[in-house]
Amino acid sequence: MSDHASALTELHASLDQRHRPEEIADLILATGRPFTPSERALLERAASRSARRLGYVTSMNETFARPIGASRQLATLNHLFTPDLAPVPSVDAESPEAVMAVAARAGRAIGWNPGEDDFLSDRLDREQRRAAGIELSKRQYNRRFRALRHLAAKTERLAAEQDKRRLVLRGRSGFADAITLGSFQADPDAACFVAYYVARRNLRRAYTLSGRQNAIDEIAEMLLSRCGDGADWWMIAQVNPSPGILTRLTDIQRGELLGRWSAAMRECADRLETVWRGNDFDREDMIVFRRDDSSTWNTLAQAYNRARSAWLSCLAASDALELLDAACPGKVMRLMAYDLVRWHRSIGGDVDPETRVWARLPFPWDVLNGRARCTRRTVEMACLRAGINAGQRGWTAPLGRAAVAPFQPTPELVHGVTVADPVWASSSALRARSVANTSSRSSPPPYAMPARRESSRKSVATQARALHDGHGLAVAQW
């Protein structure tokens, strides 16, 4: 494989990872594409800060966390059951379906079936074991039953965590997982844009009151401008379903993309309903309190809002926004850290007015499942009461094109706080995890999030006056 082809292969692999834009820019230059001197100079601004050129590796994880497979549970099963019933060594321990098939095959030896894992009611007694021809002592039978029960539970957790990771990627990079290596190799210019844009979408949030930068910076804009009429716009639309790009697709392609984003929106909405029913979130302010499952909620909210935004773009590109007159599900607000809300209020701000809109509208999952009615007029009136424009804020129309962002070097972040030295950042991250693990087993520190919920405003206002980061260091003082 040539160096140019190898670079394209690495760019394709980066779609499932979390490389900095600097690393992607370095790989783009390695593809050997005929860039003009000004284009090459722009790419060099980012590539010159890549880990390969500077000689150090970033302290931040370069992949999204992957669920741990069932290798340990399969090894236990292999040890307990006879060799002819043991799982084959080639079984994929990260495939819930393959693992459950192994469990079902091994379970036949002791009369166990998937779903029959209640330790009190589903075990066979002595007479039943004798009738089934199971010549095991009660202790040995129980050991095998427990092993299968644990393996079945692990399979369910593995499937749930894999779905969560898939939705994390869906909320950031769209349908990048559907792009094949062959598509990358067939259109290298479009591939370069897709890889760089995904890296920009995957950037971490900094701890700041300002919003996120536009994912289209000056490098992404230059790469997109290299894609002419004959480019693979379908591949580009998988990750960037903006109205300008969707207009380049055929009606069939727009219809397919509309259906895929609609299905993704419904899936996220159903999962959000499950999380909402299992927690006690404050809908008025959406502030995190202790024991709230904010990680799962924010992951699903980001994926839902991304799918909803792309769905609106597809409707607009198809000239079908009138469908919102029948049903217009609203956005979902993320849960905010109480210290960030306190920071907003300390400078005269307050909760985002869009949170007021979210609180006034029916739940999106009720609208999508036909249990509540919410039309475009309903959303427009709620936005009007909150003092915002429904169309301009992306409630009833796609968001307008934001200004192209200038390229800025990716900062080393530890819990959203910039740390200049990557080595110190790695050390700080390890220390933060150690502090978090220790504090989870002891009493909460005085700056922890509030546990009571009588009034979120009162709870936030009565907290300590110092804002702390994950290391116990004061980084701001009110």
Side-chain angles (χ1 to χ4, degrees), residues 245-322:
I245 291 175
L246 291 173
T247 55
R248 292 178 173 268
L249 302 183
T250 65
D251 291 339
I252 294 177
Q253 289 174 328
R254 279 195 297 270
E256 180 180 346
L257 207 54
L258 175 65
R260 289 168 65 178
W261 281 117
S262 177
M265 184 170 62
R266 287 179 175 274
E267 178 189 3
C268 293
D270 289 340
R271 291 175 181 271
L272 282 166
E273 180 181 13
T274 301
V275 177
W276 181 268
R277 294 183 182 278
N279 290 270
D280 185 25
F281 300 144
D282 182 357
R283 192 179 184 186
E284 291 295 326
D285 286 341
M286 294 301 287
I287 298 174
V288 179
F289 288 83
R290 199 176 305 145
R291 290 182 293 275
D292 284 346
D293 187 5
S294 59
S295 297
T296 301
W297 176 267
N298 286 347
T299 294
L300 293 173
Q302 181 178 33
Y304 169 84
N305 289 331
R306 168 75 163 164
R308 182 184 180 277
S309 177
W311 174 70
L312 284 176
S313 294
C314 290
L315 288 178
S318 303
D319 196 21
L321 283 176
E322 67 273 6

Side-chain angles (χ1 to χ4, degrees), residues 24 27 64 92 100 140 157 184 233 360 407 418:
I24 302 302
L27 284 173
F64 292 95
D92 185 1
M100 185 54 74
Q140 292 300 322
R157 294 195 303 272
F184 255 52
W233 291 102
R360 290 189 177 104
F407 168 75
T418 301

